[in-house]
Amino acid sequence: MYEDKTLVCRNCGKEFVFTAGEQEFYAEKGFENEPKMCKDCRRSKKEAGRQFYTATCAACGKEAKVPFKPHDDRPVYCSECFAKQKEAND
C-alpha cells in the first residue's frame, strides 16, 4: 500500500526517506502532512529548546545528561541503565 518516498528537508536541504512504515504510522495517528524536516533537523530543533543537566548514573557511575534537574533523594540513570531498569520492571 505505501512505498518509500524521498523528500527534501526544508531546513538543511538534504534528501531523506519517508519510509512506508513511517507513512503507515502517520496514517494511523491521523497525521495528514508529510514531514518537512529530516530526522536530524527535527531532533536538533527539539533539543534546542531543552535544558539538560549533568548527573552521575546511580547504577554504573558514568556521566548522564538528563532533561530534568536531578534531586539528591532520587537516583538518576544513564540511558543504557535506564533502559535496563525499565526492561527489568516490564
Side-chain angles (χ1 to χ4, degrees):
M1 182 172 178
Y2 297 102
E3 292 183 21
D4 290 358
K5 290 183 182 181
T6 301
L7 304 175
V8 177
C9 178
R10 72 171 181 202
N11 194 44
C12 68
K14 293 181 184 174
E15 290 186 347
F16 66 97
V17 177
F18 185 34
T19 67
E22 290 170 327
Q23 291 173 53
E24 186 174 353
F25 174 80
Y26 271 51
E28 287 173 4
K29 296 295 181 183
F31 301 147
E32 296 179 6
N33 299 321
E34 295 177 341
K36 302 290 184 207
M37 294 188 289
C38 65
K39 288 181 183 179
D40 289 338
C41 288
R42 289 194 310 255
R43 185 181 315 113
S44 294
K45 182 179 178 183
K46 183 177 179 181
E47 290 176 359
R50 282 185 150 177
Q51 179 177 359
F52 285 85
Y53 299 87
T54 303
T56 302
C57 177
C60 70
K62 287 196 272 183
E63 183 179 282
K65 297 226 182 256
V66 294
F68 58 88
K69 188 171 184 177
H71 297 283
D72 292 333
D73 61 334
R74 301 203 57 183
V76 174
Y77 300 101
C78 66
S79 56
E80 292 173 15
C81 292
F82 181 77
K84 289 177 189 174
Q85 290 280 334
K86 187 175 179 184
E87 192 175 286
N89 292 331
D90 286 345

